[in-house]
């Protein structure tokens, strides 16, 4: 939010940090790795279907999966026939594995039924996730979804199962978000099921399988994936006769017992023993060659040919032997000659002795196919190309914050929907999401146009009040961001009225109230801001799981009470907010924000020692968080610089302001903050008696602020200080003119927060009248 004066450090209502804290995200990826490695240590066991699973699931495989998950301590929140996700998909099937689980869900968007496979980790339905603080859950869930970015970027390929959507699904009982990756559903099932029914693949089919796996992996590598790491029959879908598709591409996958290359297994043991950090997957594409060869051999023989591959995951001594000697002796005599040579090469325990890359392996397989069966002909494989697919693809990019990449698929979805009757709601959703993309890429006029087009379409549709409210809220956020506060207020009030009429939308109501409070605060309407913050606070206090939002609302109230000089109430609110944040892991940034806000209250109350201590504590936290340079500058310039200045430590104040300005100059788009920092320097020069330098600095700042919307409060403060500077230099005419200009600038602003400025102007004018100063500057 815009600062209220040139002295603010972290002034105004708090918001969630936009900083990309890479260090913390690495920790979250390490958490996911630990969950996966722990699952790998679980022993495989036969599953007998429990009677209670029979009634919930109509097919035997889903029944077995439900029993397996129950034995792992997972209480399924969604069963057969239940609705699933924001789009209200219907659950129709279930599968489970050692690490993850998959729901088969059916959608009917645009009246066209489609089935998807929605996958998550088992750990997301266990206490190791569900019992975490909400903020930490959010970060871990986001890290899980971000692992799919290379897979998402791959788009459509004839031999890759494509990602359709990424979504956090609200747990219907625990009110926790569970992340899911939606991918293409294949009715034919996977290669393991196929082999179980058919027995084996013939040599031609095995070569076809190998060639298609190489094709898919080469495509994946072009899109940034270093290695698949989990090639196994379960991750190879059979979509038709001799047509295979590889699935489950993620950047942080560990592997599966029995299908990992020797270097993978040994690296896993080093992770278990703490010799390398979790997440250090020291493997590359050559591990995939090993797995492709193993799957080809298993398909040809009809059973897994290398017991040591499984045993190496159970005993470290065996893992060391596996890494040193490989799979050991295997009877290759029954294999065709070329196939035997391929297997021997990819099974080498030393990665550098395998093929130099996957294209070299593919070339050998193609040559073998041509020699035995003629030229390999690429099969014709249909790829999904619906408006729904393009829309979900765009939403997935948006979930990962890749706004630019979302624009083209949204436009494609909108274009395709023009030809489909009865898709007005879908079109409106495309427009609304395009508005979000334009907003996040700073094309505000385009964003406004798309939101208004979506609203116009939605208002023609029956029973779409909730969508209208969502769109109005987004439009209000856009207006607030661009400084059009009256329009923002109206749009958010429109959304609030709708939510008040719909049951079960208390959190949406609280969001509207919070956004209104932010607008009122920015426009200095402090009583109104206080009122709506209190209403939102009441909702958050009565809603379990909203501790993060509760703390933010308390901090916002503290800011209101600070600026209206109710310092004891402000201090109490900030301390309560800080206490809540400290109970929530991963909220260090917000702890720094609130600590800085509290320090600002101390500064306003003249408690300089406590203010200095608070600003220093906030600054130390920020310096541990990458990407917080702007916050550091505010702490230095608006915070410590002001403390030093007001307590007479002028040299220290100048040093702090200079440090802040150096940081700001390196950050694009901070011209208004640079102006505020320079204004503080101008005031400091005035106090040091460097009057001409103070006047030059403040005049430059005033000119800059006049061209920036939303900086009215800073402008009147700067103009007053310039008037004082002119008065000190006996430029009485300029002092009078600037004091009168300041009062005129204050007219549209509420008295709260500008009373001291108005009083300062009146004093200058009264002094000029009482002393009968001449209108011209004395030399």
């Amino acid at each position: 939010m815009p600062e209220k004066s040139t002295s603010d450090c972290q002034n105004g209502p708090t918001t969630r940090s936009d900083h990309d804290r890479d260090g913390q995200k690495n920790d979250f990826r390490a958490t996911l790795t630990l969950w996966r490695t722990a699952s790998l240590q679980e022993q495989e066991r036969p599953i007998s279907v429990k009677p209670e699973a029979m009634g919930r699931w109509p097919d035997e495989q889903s029944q077995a999966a439900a029993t397996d998950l129950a034995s792992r301590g997972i209480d399924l929140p969604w069963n057969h026939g239940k609705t699933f996700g924001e789009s209200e998909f219907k659950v129709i099937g279930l599968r489970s594995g050692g690490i993850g689980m998959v729901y088969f869900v059916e959608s009917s968007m645009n009246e066209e039924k489609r089935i998807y496979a929605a996958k998550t980790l088992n750990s997301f339905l266990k206490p190791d996730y569900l019992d975490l603080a909400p903020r930490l859950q959010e970060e871990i869930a986001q890290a899980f979804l971000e692992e799919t970015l290379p897979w998402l970027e791959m788009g459509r390929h004839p031999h890759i199962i494509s990602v359709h959507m990424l979504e956090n699904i609200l747990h219907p009982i625990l009110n926790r978000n569970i992340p899911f990756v939606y991918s293409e559903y294949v009715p034919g099932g996977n290669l393991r099921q196929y082999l179980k029914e058919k027995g084996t693949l013939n040599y031609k089919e095995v070569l076809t399988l190998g060639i298609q796996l190489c094709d898919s992996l080469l495509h994946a590598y072009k899109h940034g994936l270093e290695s698949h790491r989990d090639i196994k029959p379960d991750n190879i879908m059979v979509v038709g006769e001799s047509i295979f598709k590889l699935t489950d591409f993620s950047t942080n996958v560990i592997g599966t017992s029995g299908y990992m290359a020797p270097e993978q297994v040994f690296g896993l043991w080093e992770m278990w023993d703490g010799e390398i950090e979790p997440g250090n997957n020291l493997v590359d594409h050559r591990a995939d060659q090993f797995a492709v060869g193993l799957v080809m051999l298993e398909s040809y023989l009809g059973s897994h040919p290398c017991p040591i591959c499984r045993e190496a995951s159970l005993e470290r001594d065996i893992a060391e032997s596996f890494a040193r000697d490989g799979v050991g002796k295997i009877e290759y005599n029954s294999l065709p000659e070329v196939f035997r040579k391929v297997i021997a090469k990819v099974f080498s325990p030393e990665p550098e002795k395998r093929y130099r890359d996957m294209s070299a392996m593919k070339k050998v397989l193609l040559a073998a196919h041509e020699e035995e069966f003629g030229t390999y002909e690429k099969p014709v494989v249909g790829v999904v190309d619906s408006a729904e697919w393009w829309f979900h693809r765009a939403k997935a990019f948006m979930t990962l914050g890749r706004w630019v990449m979302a624009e083209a698929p949204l436009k494609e979805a909108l274009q395709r929907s023009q030809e489909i009757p009865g898709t007005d709601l879908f079109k409106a959703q495309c427009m609304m999401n395009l508005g979000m993309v334009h907003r996040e890429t700073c094309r505000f006029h385009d964003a406004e146009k798309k939101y208004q087009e979506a609203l116009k379409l939605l208002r023609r549709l029956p029973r779409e009040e909730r969508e209208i409210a969502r769109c109005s809220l987004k439009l209000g956020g856009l207006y607030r961001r661009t400084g059009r506060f009256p329009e923002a207020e109206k749009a958010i009030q429109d959304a609030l009225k709708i939510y008040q009429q719909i049951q079960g939308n208390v959190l949406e109501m609280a969001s509207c109230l919070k956004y209104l409070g932010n607008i009122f605060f920015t426009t200095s309407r402090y009583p109104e801001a206080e009122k709506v913050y209190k209403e939102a606070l009441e909702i958050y206090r009565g809603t379990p799981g909203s501790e993060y939002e509760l703390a933010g609302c308390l901090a916002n109230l503290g800011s209101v009470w600070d600026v209206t000089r109710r310092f004891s109430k402000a201090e109490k609110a900030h301390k309560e907010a800080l206490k809540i944040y400290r109970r929530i892991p991963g909220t260090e940034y917000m702890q720094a924000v609130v600590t800085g806000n509290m320090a600002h209250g101390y500064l306003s109350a003249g408690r300089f020692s406590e203010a200095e201590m608070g600003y220093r504590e906030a600054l130390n936290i920020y310096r541990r968080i990458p990407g917080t340079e702007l916050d550091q500058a505010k702490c230095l310039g608006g915070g410590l610089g002001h403390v030093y200045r007001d307590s007479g430590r002028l040299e220290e104040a100048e040093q702090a302001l200079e440090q802040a300005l150096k940081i700001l100059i390196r950050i694009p788009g901070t011209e208004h903050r640079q102006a505020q920092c320079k204004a503080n320097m101008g005031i400091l020069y005035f106090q040091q008696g460097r009057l001409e330098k103070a006047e030059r600095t403040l005049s430059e700042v005033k000119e800059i602020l006049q061209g920036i919307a939303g900086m009215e409060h800073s402008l009147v403060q700067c103009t007053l200080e310039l008037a004082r500077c002119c008065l000190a230099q006996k430029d009485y005419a300029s002092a009078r003119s600037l004091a009168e200009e300041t009062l005129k600038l204050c007219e549209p602003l509420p008295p709260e927060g500008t009373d001291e400025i108005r009083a300062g102007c009146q004093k200058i004018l009264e002094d000029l009248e009482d002393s009968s100063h001449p209108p011209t500057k004395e030399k």
Side-chain angles (χ1 to χ4, degrees):
M1 294 200 56
E3 268 79 357
K4 312 302 294 184
S5 75
T6 55
S7 63
D8 287 358
C9 169
Q10 182 65 36
N11 199 21
T14 56
T15 56
R16 189 161 296 181
S17 169
D18 291 329
H19 299 296
D20 185 3
R21 287 167 279 166
D22 291 330
Q24 289 193 19
K25 289 191 177 182
N26 281 332
D27 290 340
F28 300 134
R29 287 194 288 268
T31 298
L32 294 169
T33 299
L34 290 172
W35 287 352
R36 288 181 169 111
T37 55
S39 297
L40 282 173
Q41 289 176 305
E42 294 180 5
Q43 298 291 324
E44 293 186 7
R45 55 198 185 285
I47 298 298
S48 56
V49 178
K50 292 184 178 180
E52 55 264 32
M54 297 290 288
R56 294 181 181 177
W57 302 94
D59 63 292
E60 188 175 332
Q61 284 183 300
S62 295
Q63 293 165 10
T67 300
D68 175 41
L69 292 167
S71 71
R72 299 174 187 270
I74 295 174
D75 186 11
L76 290 174
W78 301 278
N79 289 300
H80 185 266
K82 298 295 183 181
T83 55
F84 184 87
E86 284 187 12
S87 302
E88 296 188 345
F89 295 154
K90 181 180 178 182
V91 176
I92 62 172
L94 179 71
R95 297 293 183 270
S96 71
I99 295 175
M101 59 170 296
V102 179
Y103 276 108
F104 295 145
V105 297
E106 184 180 66
S107 80
S108 55
M109 183 178 279
N110 296 331
E111 299 181 356
E112 185 178 357
K113 291 188 180 298
R114 291 185 182 276
I115 299 175
Y116 300 96
K119 180 176 182 179
T120 193
L121 297 181
N122 292 337
S123 293
F124 282 114
L125 292 168
K126 290 182 176 182
D128 46 6
Y129 171 80
L130 296 173
D131 289 348
L132 293 174
R135 181 62 172 164
L136 191 54
Q137 289 177 343
E138 179 184 325
E139 297 282 10
I140 293 174
Q142 186 67 17
F144 171 73
L145 296 178
E146 285 178 352
E147 293 177 348
T148 66
L149 180 60
W151 190 4
L152 180 62
E153 289 179 327
M154 292 173 203
R156 298 169 298 170
H157 184 275
H159 299 298
I160 289 177
I161 296 292
S162 60
V163 173
H164 282 247
M165 186 164 47
L166 307 175
E167 191 174 18
N168 283 300
I169 310 297
L170 190 66
H171 194 295
I173 301 169
L174 302 178
N175 198 32
R176 295 287 187 263
N177 279 321
I178 314 297
F180 280 88
V181 177
Y182 292 70
S183 61
E184 178 185 351
Y185 169 74
V186 177
N190 60 41
L191 180 60
R192 188 172 302 284
Q193 295 168 308
Y194 187 82
L195 292 174
K196 186 176 180 181
E197 295 169 4
K198 188 173 179 180
T200 62
L201 299 182
N202 61 41
Y203 184 38
K204 183 178 182 180
E205 291 171 326
V206 166
L207 289 174
T208 298
L209 169 64
I211 291 166
Q212 292 178 8
L213 289 177
C214 290
D215 254 348
S216 65
L217 290 165
L218 286 168
H219 183 75
Y221 300 154
K222 288 177 183 176
H223 287 82
L225 198 75
E226 293 180 4
S227 178
H228 186 287
R229 300 190 187 95
D230 199 22
I231 298 168
K232 57 184 177 180
D234 313 72
N235 283 339
I236 300 167
M237 311 308 291
V238 183
V239 298
E241 186 175 349
S242 293
I243 300 176
F244 307 96
K245 287 192 175 190
L246 187 58
T247 188
D248 204 9
F249 297 81
S250 290
T251 58
N252 201 31
V253 166
I254 302 299
T256 297
S257 177
Y259 293 91
M260 290 185 280
E263 63 271 24
Q264 263 182 288
V265 178
F266 192 69
L268 181 63
W269 275 102
E270 288 188 315
M271 233 184 290
W272 281 336
D273 293 343
E275 295 178 20
I276 63 171
E277 290 293 323
N280 289 341
N281 293 299
L282 306 176
V283 297
D284 57 22
H285 61 91
R286 294 170 295 188
D288 289 345
Q289 293 179 28
F290 179 94
V292 169
L294 182 56
V295 169
M296 290 173 66
L297 186 58
E298 181 176 352
S299 301
Y300 187 77
L301 299 176
S303 61
H304 194 292
C306 309
I308 193 173
C309 293
R310 298 186 191 279
E311 295 164 358
S313 298
L314 303 176
E315 297 288 343
R316 172 146 193 152
D317 290 346
I318 300 177
E320 291 175 351
S321 172
F322 186 40
R324 183 179 60 251
D325 304 323
V327 298
K329 292 184 178 180
I330 295 180
E331 181 54 59
Y332 292 115
N333 293 336
S334 62
L335 304 182
E337 182 180 358
V338 176
F339 188 25
R340 183 166 67 247
K341 291 179 179 179
V342 169
I343 295 299
K345 191 170 184 66
V346 299
F347 275 9
S348 171
E350 301 172 61
E352 58 273 14
K353 291 186 177 179
R354 299 172 201 156
Y355 292 102
R356 82 174 175 278
D357 54 35
M358 195 60 71
S359 61
M361 182 176 180
K362 177 186 173 184
K363 185 177 180 180
V364 172
L365 295 176
L366 284 170
H369 190 287
E370 183 169 8
E371 183 179 341
E372 292 285 339
F373 310 105
T375 303
Y376 169 78
E377 295 183 4
K378 292 185 178 181
V380 178
V381 183
V383 291
V384 64
D385 196 31
S386 64
E388 181 181 357
W389 184 80
W390 287 104
F391 177 79
H392 285 156
R393 178 171 173 77
K395 289 277 286 180
F397 280 127
M398 291 167 69
T399 299
L400 300 182
R402 271 63 176 187
W403 301 98
V404 173
M405 300 172 78
E407 183 171 0
L410 275 173
K411 288 181 176 178
E412 188 71 31
L414 188 58
Q415 176 63 35
R416 290 173 184 271
S417 67
Q418 303 296 338
E419 306 166 3
I420 307 173
T423 59
D424 283 350
L425 175 59
F426 179 77
K427 292 171 188 172
Q429 290 171 335
C430 287
M431 293 172 185
M432 200 187 316
N433 283 284
L434 270 171
M436 292 173 65
V437 168
H438 294 327
R439 182 196 69 196
E440 293 300 323
T441 52
C442 298
R443 288 173 289 167
F444 301 125
H445 177 73
D446 293 338
E448 179 184 3
K449 183 179 177 182
K450 286 303 174 188
Y451 285 141
Q452 289 176 340
E453 288 177 4
L455 275 174
K456 185 177 179 180
L457 202 54
L458 288 167
R459 284 170 178 151
R460 295 205 300 260
L461 300 175
R463 299 181 299 279
E464 292 301 338
E465 290 79 9
R466 184 176 279 106
E467 286 296 308
I468 293 172
R470 287 181 61 233
C471 194
S472 293
L473 190 57
K474 292 181 185 303
L475 184 58
L478 174 69
Y479 287 144
R480 174 177 170 263
R481 184 168 175 176
T482 52
R484 297 163 64 181
F485 300 117
E487 293 157 286
E489 181 181 348
K490 182 182 182 305
I492 295 171
Q493 290 280 20
D494 289 345
L496 180 60
K497 287 175 184 176
I498 295 173
Y499 283 130
Q500 287 171 335
Q501 297 167 3
I502 305 174
Q503 291 185 347
N505 287 274
V506 291
L507 288 177
E508 288 84 354
M509 287 172 53
S511 292
C512 289
L513 291 165
K514 182 179 68 176
Y515 295 147
L516 279 174
N518 293 349
I519 291 171
F520 294 149
F521 187 96
T522 304
T523 54
S524 304
R525 295 155 64 185
Y526 304 120
E528 293 169 90
E530 180 177 359
K531 179 177 180 294
V532 293
Y533 283 145
K534 284 181 175 178
E535 291 176 19
L537 190 64
E538 187 176 344
I539 293 173
Y540 289 135
R541 288 196 190 279
T543 307
S546 60
E547 295 83 2
Y548 186 90
E549 289 76 11
L550 171 63
C553 204
L554 280 165
N556 290 353
L557 264 175
S559 294
V560 171
W561 289 330
D562 262 338
V563 81
T564 53
R565 307 187 69 79
R566 288 174 282 176
F567 300 124
S568 60
K569 293 186 74 170
E571 181 180 10
K572 183 178 178 182
H574 287 318
K575 283 184 175 179
E576 186 181 350
L578 197 55
K579 186 177 180 180
I580 295 171
Y581 280 133
R582 283 172 175 164
R583 293 199 300 263
I584 304 174
T587 61
E588 289 77 12
Y589 177 80
M590 293 310 301
Q591 293 172 36
V593 169
V594 178
T595 302
N597 283 352
M598 191 155 51
H600 177 66
Y602 292 142
L603 174 61
S604 300
R607 297 159 65 178
F608 298 126
S609 176
E610 292 163 285
E612 180 180 359
M613 188 182 303
Y615 284 132
R616 285 194 176 280
E617 182 181 345
L619 186 60
N620 286 336
I621 297 173
Y622 286 135
R623 282 172 171 164
R624 295 196 296 268
I625 303 173
T628 60
E629 288 78 11
L630 182 58
D631 303 284
Q632 294 172 38
K634 284 190 283 187
C635 255
L636 283 163
L640 287 170
H642 201 148
V643 170
Y644 296 146
R645 188 188 75 195
D646 286 5
S647 56
R649 297 153 65 182
L650 301 185
E651 289 187 8
E652 291 175 88
E654 186 171 357
Q655 289 174 4
L657 288 167
E658 287 174 351
Q659 288 179 48
L661 192 57
K662 282 181 181 178
I663 294 173
L664 290 170
I665 289 171
R666 294 196 297 267
I667 304 175
T670 63
E671 289 76 15
H672 66 298
R673 299 188 187 278
Q674 294 175 40
Q676 289 170 331
C677 191
K678 288 178 180 178
N680 277 334
M681 294 185 81
I683 296 170
L684 180 63
Y685 297 147
F686 177 80
Q687 287 182 301
Q688 291 173 326
R690 300 154 72 182
L691 299 181
E692 291 187 2
K693 189 168 186 179
E695 183 182 357
R696 285 198 307 272
T697 303
L698 290 169
S699 296
E700 178 188 345
V701 170
K702 181 174 180 285
E703 186 176 347
I704 294 170
L705 291 174
Q706 285 172 330
I708 303 176
M711 300 301 294
E712 291 80 8
H713 194 285
S714 296
L715 177 61
V716 295
Q717 179 74 57
C718 180
T719 309
L720 171 61
E721 298 298 338
L722 188 56
R724 287 171 173 161
C725 188
C726 289
L727 181 63
Q729 295 184 87
K730 298 183 181 181
D731 183 357
Y732 303 123
S734 295
R736 183 187 303 277
S737 175
L738 287 164
E740 290 173 347
E741 181 184 352
T742 304
L743 284 173
K744 190 172 182 179
L745 289 169
C746 283
E747 286 177 2
L749 302 176
E752 299 89 350
T754 60
D755 49 356
E756 290 185 1
I757 295 173
R758 295 170 197 264
C761 292
Q762 291 293 347
K763 187 174 188 309
I764 291 174
L765 294 173
E766 289 169 5
D767 287 347
L768 287 170
E769 290 296 330
D770 292 343
S771 303
S772 300
H773 291 303
T776 57
K777 182 174 179 178
E778 294 182 358
K779 298 296 182 182

